[in-house]
Amino acid sequence: MTAVCVVLIGPSAPRGEPIAQPLPADAAEGVVPNRVLTWNICNPCGRSGYDLGRAAEIATYAPQVFGLQEACVRDVEKIRDYLKNFYGLVYRVEYGTVLRNWSRCGGLPWSPGAYGQALLSAAPMTDRVNVEYPDGGSEDRGYMAVTTEVDGRPVRVFNTHLAERRQPTVRADQIRVLAAEVARHDRAIVLGDLNAVPDAPELNRIWEVATDTAPGCRPSPAGGTCEPTTDWQSKFDYVFLRGITPLAHHVHPSPYSDHHLLHTDLDPT
């Protein structure tokens, strides 16, 4: 147990005080102004010490904007604090809460923790909306959206988590709601865990109004060349763009979730 504690908090750190995890040599040196990232951080949920590791993963790529799914507010606050205090990365946050879940997010039975999506941006965010889908499926689901800046240009950013994988008809209805809103904007970024592979019929509406940033990943019968974004070798996570051109797209497996981090660098023009 002593050895485990030394690994977690360091030999000279005060008891209970976490210390920063070192970043790899090629880590970003500061916020990358044209970079966006998406990550479903749950599974495992509520694991002690994981928020520090998640912060280090995000700091390695230091996006201008990033969206988290299956996020408890208290975990997001810890991640945000670690990013600022350990890595000098300051982010504003907006929440898209869809549930209050005591067993998942802690709190008290009469005041459970808030759970859902979160968007964090190095630039100010305005015009936040938080929309629950008419049918969430097995649990409430929704999307949130804000207006912020990526590489100095305004853009509407969406963050969503669709119904679980065995509920395609529910996802189809959710995508209709989301795609209709995305289509209203000339420049938009859609981040999220869609719980469906690229050629799933229920995703057709989003493909009609936006394009995934992964090179060659299109809704063909063979799935195109779509890199898996989950531990079970499926692509469920997406960065969709409308009116914006991608420069680079990367997928990073992580020990802190069964979903991988995705980050994309965007063409500023």
Side-chain angles (χ1 to χ4, degrees):
M1 181 62 71
T2 300
V4 171
C5 290
V6 168
V7 170
L8 290 177
I9 67 174
S12 60
R15 181 173 297 177
E17 291 293 326
I19 61 172
Q21 293 191 9
L23 302 183
D26 60 349
E29 296 182 358
V31 169
V32 181
N34 67 328
R35 179 170 293 171
V36 298
L37 179 147
T38 185
W39 194 14
N40 182 323
I41 62 172
C42 197
N43 288 328
C45 304
R47 189 71 62 86
S48 177
Y50 269 35
D51 292 329
L52 181 57
R54 288 165 176 156
E57 298 265 272
I58 294 166
T60 297
Y61 310 108
Q64 170 78 6
V65 176
F66 64 97
L68 303 176
Q69 303 89 40
E70 293 202 67
C72 297
V73 166
R74 67 175 186 173
D75 291 337
V76 175
E77 288 302 314
K78 288 180 182 176
I79 291 170
R80 186 175 173 227
D81 286 345
Y82 293 147
L83 286 169
K84 177 181 178 181
N85 297 332
F86 292 158
Y87 305 109
L89 301 174
V90 178
Y91 289 100
R92 298 157 175 87
V93 63
E94 294 285 356
Y95 293 101
T97 299
V98 293
L99 287 174
R100 293 193 173 275
N101 193 306
W102 176 69
S103 62
R104 185 175 286 168
C105 293
L108 299 171
W110 57 89
S111 182
Y115 169 85
Q117 287 77 247
L119 276 169
L120 294 94
S121 175
M125 292 179 281
T126 60
D127 303 320
R128 181 188 70 89
V129 298
N130 184 30
V131 177
E132 285 196 30
Y133 294 122
D135 183 359
S138 55
E139 68 177 26
D140 293 344
R141 296 287 167 93
Y143 76 82
M144 63 178 301
V146 302
T147 298
T148 187
E149 290 186 355
V150 175
D151 210 24
R153 296 192 64 190
V155 62
R156 193 67 171 164
V157 182
F158 296 80
N159 186 16
T160 192
H161 184 201
L162 299 189
E164 63 100 16
R165 70 184 77 175
R166 295 177 181 85
Q167 299 175 320
T169 57
V170 176
R171 287 197 300 277
D173 289 338
Q174 294 171 348
I175 279 291
R176 276 192 285 270
V177 172
L178 177 63
E181 184 61 27
V182 173
R184 295 180 58 245
H185 301 274
D186 294 331
R187 288 171 47 84
I189 300 169
V190 183
L191 311 173
D193 172 6
L194 304 191
N195 268 322
V197 294
D199 62 336
E202 65 267 25
L203 299 190
N204 286 346
R205 289 292 183 91
I206 194 67
W207 284 107
E208 291 172 0
V209 301
T211 303
D212 185 60
T213 61
C217 184
R218 300 294 180 265
S220 66
T225 54
C226 301
E227 188 174 357
T229 67
T230 64
D231 287 353
W232 56 92
Q233 297 301 302
S234 293
K235 178 177 171 61
F236 276 13
D237 306 271
Y238 298 81
V239 177
F240 275 102
L241 302 178
R242 178 175 173 84
I244 305 170
T245 303
L247 291 177
H249 176 86
H250 301 278
V251 178
H252 308 281
S254 169
Y256 302 107
S257 174
D258 59 357
H259 287 254
H260 308 339
L261 294 84
L262 276 71
H263 81 72
T264 296
D265 294 345
L266 309 179
D267 188 333
T269 60

